[in-house]
Structure formats: structure tokens, C-alpha cells
Amino acid sequence: MSPSRNDRTAYRSREGRTVSRPGDGGANAKSLPLPASAEAFLTEPHVCTLTTLRPDGTPHVAPVRFTWDAATGTARVMTVASRRKAGNLLAAPGTRVAVCQVAGSRWITLEGPATVSDDPRRLAEGVRRYADRYGSPPPAPSGLVVIEIAVDRVMGLY
């Protein structure tokens, strides 16, 4: 039997990889990895959106490409330190963000606290994963940084 729309909507906690249905207060929580359909969707080369908060608290939504590291629960976005999305996070490290991918009726949103890094090892990992997902490395302008999101909530229909 195929899952209903609500059966495919999930929230995921980094601690214990908990999945629960909206509105159940966690009563039906199960320790599960993301479904294979979600993991597969996260490998498809789509343009996505990243939502950060400006210093005045209003949302800033930008088109991005991102990568997903299932082993660590980390989403990565390559950008330049002078861009608004990086600036918002540099002004308030650890602020929660959301990255959302949509393709037709399928969608997934990954949420969690984010940091910005220019550490060469982290940049190299971000570039490697980007090239794997999108088939070529990201642009390499001066000031390249990686936004790393420690994903603790996942919602979607995939």
C-alpha cells in the first residue's frame, strides 16, 4: 500500500533521528533514518532556496544549490562571505535557517542552526560534495565560504 500524503510528512531530530507526524506531540515518534525516497530526492540536482534572518528579524530568501551529508546530518551551501545570506549568519552564528527543494509536487525542507566557515578543509569538503551532486565545482570567487547547517528537522513530500 502506498503511503498517504501525511505519512510522507516527517520531522527529524538529529538526536536519535526521530520522525514524528505533525500534531501528534511526538507520541508516535520512531527512531528512523530518512526514507530512501527522501535520500534519493536530496541527490537530484535542483536549485533550492535558503532562508536566513536579517538582523531586523525579517526573512531573506535566496536561490542556492546545496548538498546533503546523511552520515553527519549536515547540509552545505557554498557562497561568498560578502553575500547577504552569509552576512546574516556571520552577524548571528548558530541562527536557525531552512533550505527547501521543490520539484513538481515533491518537496523537502531541512532546518537547523547554521554557521559560516572559511576553513580550507570544510571548503574542500563542500566543493567536493557540490561537484558530486551538480556535475561541476561551484564558482570559486575570492571570499568563498561554506554555510553548514546542522539539520535537526526535516519536512516534506518526497
Side-chain angles (χ1 to χ4, degrees):
M1 176 164 73
S2 116
S4 73
R5 192 172 178 99
N6 285 339
D7 287 339
R8 290 183 285 168
T9 301
Y11 294 87
R12 178 175 164 269
S13 168
R14 190 173 165 90
E15 301 78 27
R17 299 176 69 91
T18 300
V19 176
S20 62
R21 303 288 183 289
D24 74 0
N28 296 318
K30 301 175 185 177
S31 290
L32 298 171
L34 285 177
S37 58
E39 294 288 354
F41 186 44
L42 288 168
T43 66
E44 296 174 13
H46 299 292
V47 173
C48 310
T49 61
L50 174 69
T51 303
T52 61
L53 295 177
R54 295 182 182 98
D56 68 2
T58 59
H60 173 260
V61 182
V64 298
R65 289 180 163 189
F66 80 98
T67 63
W68 169 243
D69 180 348
T72 65
T74 304
R76 292 178 179 85
V77 175
M78 305 304 297
T79 191
V80 175
S82 61
R83 298 283 189 210
R84 166 56 66 188
K85 56 188 160 281
N88 290 340
L89 293 169
L90 289 168
T95 299
R96 292 188 66 79
V97 303
V99 64
C100 184
Q101 175 173 300
V102 178
S105 63
R106 298 177 307 146
W107 63 274
I108 192 164
T109 299
L110 309 176
E111 298 179 14
T115 56
V116 178
S117 178
D118 62 359
D119 176 88
R121 291 173 306 198
R122 290 177 179 216
L123 283 171
E125 182 66 6
V127 167
R128 181 188 71 76
R129 288 179 177 277
Y130 182 104
D132 286 348
R133 182 172 184 188
Y134 294 103
S136 65
S142 172
L144 188 66
V145 296
V146 60
I147 295 172
E148 295 179 327
I149 306 162
V151 176
D152 61 14
R153 181 177 294 159
V154 175
M155 299 172 283
L157 291 171
Y158 27 76

